[in-house]
Amino acid sequence: MAQLTPVASFRALHHGRTPGDPLILPGPWDAGSARAFEDAGFEALATPSAGVAASLGYADGETPGDEMFAAVARIVRAVSVPVSADVEGGYGLAPKELVARLLDTGAVGCNLEDSADGALKDPARHADWLAEVRAEAGNRLFINARVDTYIEGVTDLDETIARARAYVAAGADCVYPYGAPADHLPKIAAAVPAPVNQVALADGPTPRRLGELGAARVTFGPGLQRRAMKAVREIAEQLRAG
């Protein structure tokens, strides 16, 4: 039997999940954290753009594309498990160049957002753009289409589902309704013909509970990097205290 490629292996991890057993993808922000997560036994990783930005000294959304791709490449080189990369809105790159840059890093997938500058993009135009990315990537990348309705203040469930379905029709492998309320998640999962990614927040449902609600994949945004930096600050305070 032929061995699966890294991207095919990564894609397979999203399917056949049982309720309460979602794919858990920790978010490394640098090579060291990536190795720690791999050593702990995680099967794959997914970088958070905000966490990587913080590690590079930038505010969320302000990382130059070249620096983000370089950081992702360092993370990929540090581990043997598949890595998906959050590349925000694509840094203004045309689909052909975006795909080429992603493949050059060694990443097997990407997150792509449907908002910019605090506003949602037109869903039809964004779906067309995702279709172009899919056409360029073929099966070489796993595309996770983030739906930013909730974080942009649009709480209408039908709008979220319509966007998610349009992105899947355009070729997205997975959809990511960031911050969807717990009572919306089962309805989204039932209505969208693709795996659903959800973020585990410190004050929200556990990853297992998110899986029970319909998430096939759970990520953490910048939460893990922020917890690590909290620990660093506590160490610094202890050192100052003597």
Side-chain angles (χ1 to χ4, degrees):
M1 176 184 255
Q3 186 173 6
L4 292 177
T5 64
V7 66
S9 296
F10 183 68
R11 186 173 281 114
L13 289 172
H14 293 74
H15 296 278
R17 313 298 308 192
T18 58
D21 181 34
L23 173 62
I24 306 296
L25 295 178
W29 53 92
D30 60 12
S33 59
R35 284 178 174 163
F37 291 133
E38 180 183 34
D39 288 346
F42 288 99
E43 299 175 279
L45 307 172
T47 69
S49 61
V52 173
S55 77
L56 297 173
Y58 292 102
D60 185 20
E62 295 184 4
T63 310
D66 286 350
E67 292 199 43
M68 184 63 76
F69 289 119
V72 170
R74 288 191 293 271
I75 289 169
V76 172
R77 285 198 301 268
V79 296
S80 61
V81 297
V83 177
S84 182
D86 183 346
V87 291
E88 304 178 275
Y91 308 108
L93 299 174
K96 184 174 183 178
E97 185 176 0
L98 175 61
V99 169
R101 295 293 300 272
L102 280 163
L103 292 175
D104 283 346
T105 70
V108 299
C110 61
N111 279 11
L112 295 169
E113 303 169 1
D114 72 344
S115 66
D117 301 320
L120 290 166
K121 297 177 181 179
D122 177 82
R125 290 182 181 177
H126 187 62
D128 288 344
W129 182 76
L130 287 174
E132 292 182 50
V133 175
R134 170 52 72 207
E136 289 291 342
N139 289 324
R140 296 177 295 171
L141 287 173
F142 183 97
I143 298 174
N144 186 31
R146 205 174 87 176
V147 183
D148 287 351
T149 44
Y150 296 104
I151 60 176
E152 296 300 345
V154 178
T155 59
D156 182 67
L157 175 60
D158 291 339
E159 173 71 9
T160 297
I161 289 173
R163 284 175 176 265
R165 290 178 64 89
Y167 303 158
V168 172
D173 296 282
C174 184
V175 294
Y176 184 10
Y178 195 107
D183 62 330
H184 283 197
L185 193 53
K187 298 171 185 176
I188 296 169
V192 178
V196 173
N197 183 169
Q198 193 48 271
V199 62
L201 301 173
D203 59 351
T206 65
R208 178 178 294 278
R209 180 59 181 151
L210 289 172
E212 291 171 348
L213 291 168
R217 157 175 163 162
V218 174
T219 51
F220 300 85
L224 303 180
Q225 184 269 340
R226 290 172 181 171
R227 286 173 60 183
M229 289 310 301
K230 180 181 178 182
V232 170
R233 285 190 292 272
E234 290 171 354
I235 292 169
E237 291 169 1
Q238 292 168 3
L239 291 173
R240 287 287 294 172

